[in-house]
Amino acid sequence: MSESDFIFSKTKELSLSGIKNFPIDFYNFKNFTEIDVPDKVLVLGKEFFGSYEVSSTSGDFILTFSNASEAKYIVYASRNRQNKIKIPPDFDLIKNAVEDYEKYLDMVLQDIRKDYLKKINNGKNFSAVSNEIFKKLNLTRL
């Protein structure tokens, strides 16, 4: 099996099995606030004096957060490309949702690695292959 065949088949398999959706599958929305964001790809910027920036890839939209978990939450939630993102009111809920989602992404990555090592003899391009699968599934692990 070639790496491109593996990427295609693994992406299809994961897609059909149902990728969990953040934040809906990681937080029960009873209380929340909403923030407006553009319907664009959002990325995490660097930490700057204790603040974390989230911006669009074109750089025309910027939000600043006081901690990394809130910034990651916004980036992960923007995967859905909606103009409003629901955010829990409590920092611990945000942090737990982000941690649970990252554990889930790590499990997906471990599953990809296991199958990759089984099906591809040398296994030395795992990073590039897993990045391509995540890209095709519109997933990001920060």
Side-chain angles (χ1 to χ4, degrees), residues 71-125:
K72 285 180 176 183
Y73 185 97
I74 297 302
V75 172
Y76 288 147
S78 73
R79 171 183 179 253
N80 302 322
R81 303 290 188 275
Q82 296 176 345
N83 291 345
K84 293 188 183 290
I85 294 178
K86 296 177 180 178
I87 304 174
D90 184 302
F91 172 72
D92 288 335
L93 295 174
I94 292 170
K95 183 179 176 201
N96 290 339
V98 167
E99 287 174 353
D100 290 348
Y101 184 62
E102 288 178 339
K103 286 177 189 171
Y104 168 72
L105 291 176
D106 291 344
M107 286 177 22
V108 170
L109 197 56
Q110 287 174 356
D111 179 55
I112 294 169
R113 177 185 297 274
K114 181 185 74 173
D115 284 355
Y116 179 75
L117 293 174
K118 246 192 259 181
K119 295 177 180 173
I120 307 294
N121 290 335
N122 62 17
K124 61 183 173 185
N125 290 327

Side-chain angles (χ1 to χ4, degrees), residues 19-26 79-80 101 104:
I19 295 294
K20 288 186 178 184
N21 200 354
F22 186 86
I24 295 167
D25 293 329
F26 297 89
R79 171 183 179 253
N80 302 322
Y101 184 62
Y104 168 72

